[in-house]
């Protein structure tokens, strides 16, 4: 604990305490310099002006304060104190207390430095008569949880106590938010994936995580976090004195903040890895319902779990590419009821403040996303609702960019009466809570309580039931798991039994695994039980889950001998089913057959590779085949390495080229004879193509009046071809920019749910005329510079005064850098970045198949495809 002398405090107050009146809207948005070619004098820096922002109807945004960078840095975190003042932190500097002006005034912001040797906070909370500070070391202070107090009640914080030093987490993936637990007795602390697991006194997680990769992982193409293993980002419950830490959830990439809803449920906004764009392992930013013991599947490089794996959980809603920062619920805001209940989330890189509207769905929630406030540039860092005045406040800044403080109020006609809604959980949520009560401790009642829910249709309930089992001794339930006849319950129970009884050798020292190998007799029994689950009676989702459980089994129990009856039965099962006709199931079964040295898997997979319409699907097969050791012919070898020549023209994130290189380098060693045979193809230069899909011939210039009646009649008649629609989605380059059913690019909106937003005619119109209505979320801006240049694209990143602008939707790395000091004007572009005429290369039947695929939500069994 550090107690600061009064002389030091007085000196700081005399030398640094500033009462600064914000030049709220004092800066012109447009600056005219001298004639072109002549130097332009430097100008004062101001935060993006409020009148340039796009704001939801009925709301008003005020710029209260433009932060002087050379004095107060760039603000990244914020909380309120009991008097309605704001406490903020500079990413690389100290703490400040901010007194906002009364509602109706935007001038007179009071800024006071908090005179303690602490800062670089990415988590702030006032609770238990203290300011809790989570430091993510930038330049000076150790990462950890601190408590700052006022020891003599003179309204000056003067004492710093480090409650827990947290190891790791340099940069921006370390310790982040701190919030008050709904029970009012504990804190909740959020940490990113470069933070080392801290010592805990208890855990809701069963702590049985592993990498669980059946085939060797491809690390990040640029080496980022190579060698960092699970658990990834974690969330803890912590006692107010910082001594007792309980692990609640793990497997996040870099969740910066989290918040509890009225029902006491926790939600976090997790980050994506933008370097993974256009790979099958890319996962967009997403809102996660953080339940007890939950796992979110982050693994380094290409090892990230897809959302359908049963050993992790799916999000409430995918947001898209971005950089998640602060979040809060709208509780206490003088907003209409819809927004009082909304979950507000900040996206730093794209300048969006979203309102996520959630509704209960079983024991969890589903969500829809609304763009609440947007600007360019608007690097949002944090958002809070101030209970003192019912207004929302948000900050922009970070990475030494220009920082500002804004206030949001409602000026519309709708009622802003406080919502007094009861927070009673649904029956399904109560069931999940009952199961969660068995997390973290052995309990003789747990097995009987959990077993009826292992086959639940609710995935969160199944996960909670399995986690309850994993906290109980295996000998209490192993026989029951082996004898379970219900397919879903058996899949769930056997996954738990595998995790409970065998460690992942990829995640523990080899010697430890060799000294404590899994029990061979139990392993044979588990494989027999898996083989007994009737494949043909499973739903598509259950087949995916079962394939994943086989993978985890083979990772943890090892590869049986070729003569092993269980292995032969498993191999025969999957060889008979492959290819399955399902893009994701084929990817998982391919891994199993490669692992089991199936002699036909190479030939079958090369056929799938040739027909796959997306580079993501192609990467799935190429990545698996790189370690296949049987089934090759000279022709198949040539075709395999030919693919890399074609793929040289594919586009992706910053690690894409590195991933391709590592996959090719990881292909099995060639014999001298094979090298001689393949010499020509191995030496071929990169392809000159610039897109994944070759150009298509012009068919006709379609009009809306021509197509609309044809499409509406044709879709009602049925008989459409789902697979051809998917291939056409790739052929006209839609997959290059848009995600659909968890694959595709991220430069444009995710179209998976387009059926819920557009009718057939509106969808056709947006395809035929992209400029008629441009998505605000993906709109471009026009930047005119003082030296006469024009840059059109999306601002995707910022650092200091540099604006990184993506100018080509087909190339995530097509970046032009613009110095903010050289900007004359920034305005929305009236031209969509989506090209026109996409349907003009399609015949009528092809248009019908493409539209049916788009409107299907990925369901190939829908009525449009009935013969």
């Amino acid at each position: 604990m550090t107690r600061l002398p009064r002389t030091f405090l007085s000196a700081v107050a005399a030398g640094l305490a500033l009462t600064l009146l914000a030049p709220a809207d004092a800066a012109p948005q447009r600056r005219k310099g001298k004639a072109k070619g002549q130097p332009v004098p430097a100008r004062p820096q101001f935060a993006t002006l409020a009148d340039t922002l796009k704001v939801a109807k009925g709301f008003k945004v005020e710029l209260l304060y433009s932060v002087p960078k050379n004095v107060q840095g760039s603000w990244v975190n914020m909380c309120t104190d009991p008097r309605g003042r704001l406490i903020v932190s500079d990413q690389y500097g100290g703490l400040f207390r901010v007194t906002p002006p009364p509602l109706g005034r935007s001038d007179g912001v009071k800024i006071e430095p908090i005179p303690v040797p602490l800062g670089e906070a990415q988590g702030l909370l006032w609770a238990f008569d203290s300011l809790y500070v989570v430091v993510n070391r930038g330049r000076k202070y150790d990462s950890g949880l601190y408590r700052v107090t006022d020891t003599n009640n003179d309204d000056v914080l003067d004492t710093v106590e480090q409650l827990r030093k947290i190891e790791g987490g340099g940069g921006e993936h370390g310790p982040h938010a701190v919030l008050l637990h709904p029970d009012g007795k504990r804190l909740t602390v959020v940490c990113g994936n470069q933070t080392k697991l801290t010592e805990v006194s208890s855990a809701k997680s069963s702590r049985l995580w592993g990498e669980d990769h059946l085939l060797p992982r491809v690390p990040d193409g640029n080496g980022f976090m190579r060698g960092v293993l699970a658990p990834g980002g974690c969330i803890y419950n912590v006692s107010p004195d910082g001594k007792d830490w309980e692990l609640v959830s793990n497997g996040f990439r870099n969740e910066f903040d989290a918040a509890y809803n009225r029902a006491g449920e926790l939600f976090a906004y997790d980050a994506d890895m933008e370097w993974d764009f256009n790979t099958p392992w890319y996962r967009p930013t997403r809102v996660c319902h953080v339940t007890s013991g939950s796992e979110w599947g982050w693994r380094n490089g290409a090892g990230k779990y897809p959302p359908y794996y049963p050993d992790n959980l799916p999000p409430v809603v995918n947001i898209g590419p971005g950089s998640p920062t602060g979040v809060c619920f709208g509780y206490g805001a003088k907003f209409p009821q819809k927004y009082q209940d909304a979950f507000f989330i900040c996206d730093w890189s794209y300048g969006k403040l979203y309102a996520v509207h959630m509704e209960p769905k079983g024991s969890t929630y589903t969500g829809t996303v609304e763009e609440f406030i947007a600007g360019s540039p608007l690097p949002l860092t944090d958002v809070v609702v101030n209970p003192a005045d019912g207004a929302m406040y948000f900050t922009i800044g970070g990475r030494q960019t220009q920082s500002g403080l804004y206030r949001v109020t409602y000026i519309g006609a709708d009622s802003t009466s406080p919502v007094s809604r009861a927070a009673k959980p649904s029956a399904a949520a109560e069931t999940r809570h009952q199961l969660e009560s068995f997390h973290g401790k052995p309990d003789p009642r747990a097995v009987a309580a959990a077993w009826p829910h292992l086959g639940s249709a609710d995935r969160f309930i199944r996960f909670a039931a399995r986690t309850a089992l994993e906290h109980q001794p295996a000998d209490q339930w192993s026989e029951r798991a082996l004898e379970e006849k219900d397919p879903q319950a058996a899949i769930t129970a056997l996954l738990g039994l595998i995790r409970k009884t065998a460690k992942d050798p990829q995640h523990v020292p080899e010697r430890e695994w060799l000294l404590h190998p899994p029990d061979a007799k139990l392993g044979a029994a588990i494989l027999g039980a898996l083989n007994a689950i009737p494949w043909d009676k499973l739903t598509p989702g259950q087949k995916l889950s079962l394939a994943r459980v086989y993978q985890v089994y083979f990772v943890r129990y090892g590869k049986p001998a070729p003569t092993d009856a269980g292995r032969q039965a498993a191999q025969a099962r999957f060889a008979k089913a492959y290819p399955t006709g399902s893009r994701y199931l084929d990817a998982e079964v391919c891994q199993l057959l490669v692992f089991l040295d199936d002699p036909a898997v190479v030939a079958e997979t090369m056929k799938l590779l040739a027909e796959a319409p997306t580079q993501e699907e192609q990467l799935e097969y190429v990545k698996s085949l790189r370690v296949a050791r049987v089934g090759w012919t000279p022709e198949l070898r040539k075709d395999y390495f030919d693919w890399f020549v074609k793929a040289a023209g594919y586009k992706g994130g910053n690690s894409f080229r590195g991933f391709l290189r590592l996959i090719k380098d990881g292909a099995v060693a060639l014999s001298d004879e094979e090298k001689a045979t393949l010499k020509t193809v191995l030496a071929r230069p990169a392809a000159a193509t610039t897109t994944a899909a070759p150009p298509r011939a012009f068919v006709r210039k379609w009009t809306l009046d021509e197509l609309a009646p044809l499409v509406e009649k044709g879709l009602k008649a049925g008989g459409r071809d789902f697979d051809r629609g998917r291939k056409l989605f790739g052929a006209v380059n839609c997959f290059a920019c848009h995600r659909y059913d968890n694959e595709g690019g991220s430069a444009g909106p995710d179209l998976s749910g387009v059926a819920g937003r557009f009718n057939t005619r509106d969808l056709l119109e947006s395809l035929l005329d992209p400029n008629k209505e441009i998505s605000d979320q993906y709109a471009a801006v026009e930047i005119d510079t003082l030296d006469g240049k024009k840059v059109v694209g999306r601002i995707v990143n910022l650092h200091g005064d540099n604006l990184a602008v993506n100018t080509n939707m087909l190339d995530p790395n097509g970046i032009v850098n613009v110095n903010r000091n050289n900007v004359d004007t920034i305005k929305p572009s009236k031209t969509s970045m989506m090209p026109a005429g996409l349907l003009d290369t399609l015949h009528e039947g092809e248009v019908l198949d493409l539209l049916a695929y788009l409107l299907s939500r990925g369901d190939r069994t829908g009525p449009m495809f009935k013969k």
Side-chain angles (χ1 to χ4, degrees):
M1 181 179 293
T2 304
R3 178 72 166 87
L4 303 177
R6 294 301 303 171
T7 53
F8 173 80
L9 298 176
S10 299
V12 170
L16 293 179
L18 304 174
T19 302
L20 300 176
L21 301 182
D25 283 0
Q29 181 67 9
R30 183 179 180 95
R31 172 171 66 123
K32 288 298 183 183
K34 297 182 180 181
K36 290 182 180 179
Q38 297 186 21
V40 178
R43 62 171 175 173
Q45 293 292 296
F46 295 94
T48 301
L49 300 184
D51 61 7
T52 68
L53 305 181
K54 179 182 179 296
V55 184
K57 183 179 179 181
F59 289 88
K60 174 185 176 182
V61 178
E62 305 165 87
L63 171 59
L64 297 181
Y65 187 63
S66 289
V67 180
K69 282 197 292 185
N70 60 337
V71 179
Q72 295 162 352
S74 191
W75 295 353
V76 296
N77 209 240
M78 175 170 52
C79 73
T80 60
D81 75 4
R83 299 189 185 185
R85 298 169 297 192
L86 307 173
I87 297 174
V88 300
S89 177
D90 170 18
Q91 184 175 5
Y92 300 110
L95 305 173
F96 301 89
R97 187 165 64 189
V98 180
T99 304
L103 297 182
R105 286 181 52 190
S106 59
D107 61 328
V109 177
K110 182 180 180 182
I111 314 293
E112 304 168 274
I114 295 178
V116 294
L118 193 64
E120 301 176 350
Q122 294 189 8
L124 294 169
L125 171 70
W126 191 280
F128 307 111
D129 297 320
S130 306
L131 174 66
Y132 286 91
V133 180
V134 175
V135 173
N136 185 357
R137 183 180 178 89
R139 295 171 178 166
K140 186 175 181 180
Y141 303 107
D142 287 337
S143 293
L145 175 64
Y146 296 77
R147 181 166 55 189
V148 184
T149 53
D150 171 10
T151 58
N152 56 7
N153 297 317
D154 63 350
D155 198 32
V156 176
L157 292 167
D158 54 25
T159 304
V160 176
E161 179 184 8
Q162 185 186 75
L163 302 182
R164 170 73 64 95
K165 183 177 180 180
I166 301 176
E167 298 293 336
E172 297 173 345
H173 288 237
H176 293 314
V178 54
L179 42 149
L180 184 64
H181 192 278
D183 65 12
K185 300 177 182 179
R186 294 178 288 173
L187 309 170
T188 297
V189 175
V190 173
C191 296
N193 63 345
Q194 283 186 328
T195 315
K196 293 183 180 180
L197 183 69
T198 194
E199 182 181 347
V200 297
S201 51
S202 61
K204 295 295 187 183
S205 166
S206 52
R207 302 191 69 176
L208 300 175
W209 54 71
E211 300 303 288
D212 288 320
H213 297 137
L214 184 63
L215 303 180
R217 183 212 324 261
V218 182
D220 181 79
N222 287 327
F224 182 70
M225 294 190 71
R226 183 169 187 161
V228 177
L229 304 180
C234 295
I235 295 180
Y236 306 87
N237 287 332
V238 183
S239 61
D241 61 6
K243 294 181 179 179
D244 294 324
W245 289 61
E246 175 186 64
L247 177 62
V248 176
S249 181
N250 54 270
F252 296 96
R253 180 176 183 268
N254 191 28
E255 75 297 25
F256 188 85
D257 201 358
Y260 288 97
N261 72 359
R262 296 182 194 276
E265 302 284 355
L266 183 62
F267 297 85
Y269 182 22
D270 198 15
D272 66 345
M273 176 53 162
E274 68 276 14
W275 291 1
D276 291 347
F277 282 168
N278 292 111
T279 68
W281 47 89
Y282 172 71
R283 303 186 310 178
T285 68
R286 54 196 189 151
V287 173
C288 301
H289 179 196
V290 187
T291 53
S292 171
S294 50
E295 157 73 59
W296 297 97
W298 176 84
R299 301 296 186 269
N300 76 65
K304 301 168 188 69
Y305 292 2
Y308 55 76
Y309 273 11
D311 41 344
N312 77 157
L313 286 169
V316 172
V317 62
N318 284 324
I319 304 299
S323 298
T325 47
V327 306
C328 76
F329 278 94
Y331 307 145
K334 294 179 181 178
F335 289 176
Q337 178 176 320
K338 172 183 177 181
Y339 295 99
Q340 291 182 45
D341 285 335
F343 183 49
F344 291 94
I345 59 176
C346 295
D347 174 10
W348 182 85
S349 59
Y350 289 107
K352 311 288 185 182
L353 177 57
Y354 297 107
V356 181
H357 305 287
M358 290 188 278
E359 295 291 336
K361 182 181 181 181
S363 73
T364 182
Y365 295 79
T366 186
T368 57
V369 182
E370 175 190 358
E371 186 180 285
F372 185 64
I373 296 170
S376 190
L378 196 71
L380 290 132
T381 53
D382 208 357
V383 58
V384 299
V385 172
N386 192 337
D389 58 14
M392 173 184 285
Y393 292 82
F394 68 84
T395 50
I396 66 171
R399 296 186 184 173
Q400 300 177 321
T401 58
Q402 176 59 50
S403 198
L405 173 68
Y406 299 77
R407 180 165 62 194
V408 185
T409 52
Y410 182 69
I411 57 174
D414 293 343
S415 171
T416 58
S417 299
V419 175
S420 57
R421 180 180 299 165
K424 183 179 179 181
S426 66
E430 287 183 338
T431 297
R432 175 171 54 78
H433 293 160
Q434 291 168 2
L435 294 168
E436 290 170 348
S437 69
F438 297 109
H439 294 180
K441 59 180 184 294
D443 190 308
R445 302 167 298 168
V447 174
W451 212 268
H453 302 289
L454 296 173
S456 171
D458 187 309
R459 187 164 164 188
F460 278 70
I461 288 177
R462 292 202 305 270
F463 194 99
R466 175 173 59 80
T467 303
L469 283 184
E470 291 177 350
H471 282 283
Q472 315 310 313
D475 58 10
Q476 294 182 4
W477 53 279
S478 58
E479 286 299 323
R480 191 169 180 179
L482 294 170
E483 296 171 359
E484 177 59 54
K485 300 303 181 186
D486 176 78
Q488 182 61 75
I491 291 169
T492 308
L494 291 171
L495 174 61
L497 186 59
I498 295 164
R499 286 163 46 88
K500 182 71 174 178
T501 57
K503 295 180 179 180
D504 174 7
Q506 301 167 355
H507 205 272
V508 298
E510 182 180 8
R511 185 170 182 273
E512 180 183 339
W513 195 83
L514 292 173
L515 287 174
H516 304 283
D519 181 85
K521 183 178 179 181
L522 178 59
I526 292 174
L527 184 54
L530 289 173
N531 289 334
I533 297 173
W535 179 261
D536 292 338
K537 294 183 179 180
L538 301 181
T539 67
Q542 289 171 339
K543 289 179 179 178
L544 269 174
S545 293
L546 180 57
R548 172 58 179 166
V549 176
Y550 271 99
Q551 292 176 8
V552 178
Y553 169 82
F554 286 127
V555 168
R556 298 195 176 210
Y557 272 87
K559 188 175 185 176
T563 56
D564 182 88
R567 169 180 168 168
Q568 292 177 345
Q571 184 172 336
R573 156 176 282 184
F574 290 114
K576 180 182 178 180
Y578 188 69
T580 68
S582 166
R583 176 251 184 276
Y584 297 109
L585 187 55
D586 280 341
E588 304 307 328
V589 173
C590 178
Q591 291 190 57
L592 284 161
L593 291 174
V594 167
F595 176 82
L596 294 171
D597 299 317
D598 185 79
V601 65
V602 170
E604 291 292 345
T605 305
M606 289 301 295
K607 293 177 186 177
L608 291 175
L609 176 63
E611 298 172 355
T614 71
Q615 64 185 57
E616 289 87 353
E617 184 179 0
Q618 293 171 34
L619 273 167
E620 292 271 27
Y621 304 137
V622 172
K623 178 168 67 73
S624 293
L625 287 181
R626 84 191 194 282
V627 293
R629 298 188 176 275
V630 298
W632 291 104
T633 65
E635 293 77 14
L636 291 174
R637 283 283 195 200
K638 178 181 180 300
D639 290 344
Y640 179 80
F641 287 106
D642 264 339
W643 180 87
F644 290 95
V645 178
K646 179 177 71 171
Y650 288 3
K651 301 297 181 182
N654 194 38
S655 291
F656 187 78
R657 295 291 149 209
F659 279 126
L660 290 181
R661 183 188 68 255
L662 291 170
I663 291 172
K664 185 176 181 180
D665 291 347
V668 295
L670 301 175
S671 67
D672 291 340
E673 182 180 355
E674 287 175 318
K675 289 178 181 178
T677 302
L678 297 169
K679 182 178 179 180
T680 301
V681 68
L682 292 175
R684 283 174 62 183
T689 56
T690 57
T691 62
R696 290 175 57 89
F698 176 80
V699 174
R700 63 179 295 179
K701 184 70 176 177
W702 288 106
T703 68
L704 180 63
D705 290 338
E706 289 174 332
L707 269 184
L710 294 175
V711 169
E712 290 173 1
K713 180 180 178 181
L715 296 185
K716 288 179 181 178
R720 303 323 316 162
D721 188 324
F722 179 93
D723 292 311
R724 187 166 80 150
R726 179 170 174 265
K727 290 177 181 178
L728 288 166
F729 193 75
V732 296
N733 272 328
C734 297
F735 270 128
C737 300
H738 298 278
R739 286 183 72 75
Y740 189 90
D741 195 22
N742 289 318
E743 61 181 337
S746 298
D750 188 325
L751 300 181
S752 303
V754 71
R757 305 194 301 271
F758 291 93
N759 59 35
T760 304
R761 187 179 182 89
D762 290 340
L763 179 57
L764 273 173
E765 188 172 28
S766 68
L767 292 171
L768 292 168
D769 185 8
N771 295 324
K772 184 166 185 180
E773 184 173 351
I774 303 172
S775 167
D776 294 312
Q777 183 178 352
Y778 293 89
V781 294
E782 292 183 7
I783 302 175
D784 290 312
T785 64
L786 292 167
D787 54 4
K789 296 179 181 178
K790 182 185 292 289
V791 179
V792 179
R794 295 177 66 203
I795 297 176
V796 297
N797 211 327
L798 307 98
H799 195 287
D801 289 326
N802 181 69
L803 309 179
V805 184
N806 175 254
T807 58
N808 181 0
M809 288 182 73
L810 297 176
D811 183 4
N813 291 318
I815 301 296
V816 173
N817 294 307
V818 179
N819 190 301
R820 189 175 186 270
N821 295 309
N822 192 35
V823 171
D824 187 5
T825 62
I826 300 179
K827 61 184 178 182
S829 174
K830 296 180 180 179
T831 303
S832 172
M833 294 183 73
M834 175 179 168
L838 292 178
L839 300 185
D840 295 345
T841 63
L842 303 182
H843 296 279
E844 178 184 329
E846 292 176 318
V847 174
L848 292 174
D849 287 340
L850 175 61
L851 268 291
Y853 173 74
L854 273 170
L855 295 169
S856 71
R857 300 178 188 263
D859 180 9
R860 63 173 57 244
T861 65
M864 292 181 289
F865 307 107
K866 299 293 185 184
K867 301 296 183 183

